[in-house]
Amino acid sequence: LGHDTTEKEAESLQEMTSENPTARSRIHEQARDEDGSRTLPGAREASKNMEAKKLHVETLQQPIERLQTDLVLAQAMPAQEFRIAPILLLGEPGIGKTYLAGQLAQALGVPSEKISAGGAQGAFQLSGSHSTWTSAKPGAVVTLLAQSASASPVLVVDEVDKIHEDKHAFLPVLLDHLYAGTAQRFRDEYFEMAFDASSIVVGLTANSIAKVP
């Protein structure tokens, strides 16, 4: 998140109008851990762990191999360029799509968070809602980073084939997070600050490609 960004947010806490300052302060303090810096997972070790996962999810060999390729590439890249491309896990219900996303988090040694796109109420679930709103709270992206010691926790967006255009701009905000250029300056409306979320690993799931927007 960065030292300068978190210190700027500390100043804004003095002027906040949110009805839930305790939650805001708690998440902000978590974000300030290690001066706002986060560690990257060991790509080589994670690749070995994913190889072991093949024994347990035989129906998902192809996505596991795709993830391993990204991990091999990550080993050769400078740390600041570490990125695993977002992956869409496609298939019928019950084949283990969401399970695999959880297994990836285990292999990387990072926490994970799941959002149901089908039940999404709006973009604020990802990017937070302004602190002046009733029941305002931070978005899932900044919260996941703040509560993790890693720059690459796994965010699972479930059932993206059930996203509806009337879901209050959920899709545009999700696309901003999927593209590395905009994810580097991802904005949380609750904290009114931008931060680098480009190293977060995003796993999407869908039952039907025809309905994926």
Side-chain angles (χ1 to χ4, degrees), residues 11 31 49 59 67 92 99 121 128 136 145 158 164 168 173 178 189 197 207:
E11 295 175 4
N49 292 341
T59 58
L67 290 166
E92 295 298 320
Y99 173 77
Q121 297 175 329
L145 273 178
D158 212 17
H164 300 292
H168 307 288
V173 173
L178 296 181
E189 297 301 328
N207 297 328

Side-chain angles (χ1 to χ4, degrees), residues 20-61:
N20 192 13
T22 301
R24 178 168 178 159
S25 297
R26 182 179 66 251
I27 293 174
H28 175 253
E29 284 304 311
Q30 292 170 329
R32 295 176 77 182
D33 288 347
E34 303 297 329
D35 280 338
S37 298
R38 294 295 182 266
T39 61
L40 292 171
R44 189 181 304 276
E45 184 65 24
S47 182
K48 292 180 180 178
N49 292 341
M50 288 304 295
E51 184 67 28
K53 300 295 182 185
K54 287 183 179 180
L55 300 175
H56 305 290
V57 280
E58 294 182 3
T59 58
L60 293 167
Q61 300 294 301

Side-chain angles (χ1 to χ4, degrees), residues 42-179:
R44 189 181 304 276
E45 184 65 24
S47 182
K48 292 180 180 178
N49 292 341
M50 288 304 295
E51 184 67 28
K53 300 295 182 185
K54 287 183 179 180
L55 300 175
H56 305 290
V57 280
E58 294 182 3
T59 58
L60 293 167
Q61 300 294 301
Q62 186 176 358
I64 288 177
E65 290 171 1
R66 214 307 301 279
L67 290 166
Q68 286 180 304
T69 298
D70 272 7
L71 287 167
V72 169
L73 292 173
Q75 294 175 35
M77 300 295 287
Q80 64 270 24
E81 296 181 20
F82 178 92
R83 179 167 172 81
I84 294 177
I87 184 169
L88 172 63
L89 303 173
L90 181 68
E92 295 298 320
I95 67 169
K97 300 186 297 294
T98 305
Y99 173 77
L100 176 60
Q103 292 296 297
L104 173 60
Q106 286 188 20
L108 292 170
V110 301
S112 64
E113 178 73 27
K114 185 179 81 169
I115 292 178
S116 175
Q121 297 175 329
F124 65 85
Q125 289 184 257
L126 291 171
S127 60
S129 47
H130 197 276
S131 58
T132 56
W133 289 20
T134 302
S135 302
K137 61 181 181 179
V141 177
V142 72
T143 300
L144 186 56
L145 273 178
Q147 295 177 342
S148 172
S150 173
S152 302
V154 176
L155 178 65
V156 182
V157 186
D158 212 17
E159 299 182 319
V160 293
D161 48 344
K162 295 182 180 179
I163 294 177
H164 300 292
E165 292 184 4
D166 61 349
K167 288 295 185 181
H168 307 288
F170 180 87
L171 180 58
V173 173
L174 175 60
L175 292 176
D176 277 349
H177 184 52
L178 296 181
Y179 176 56

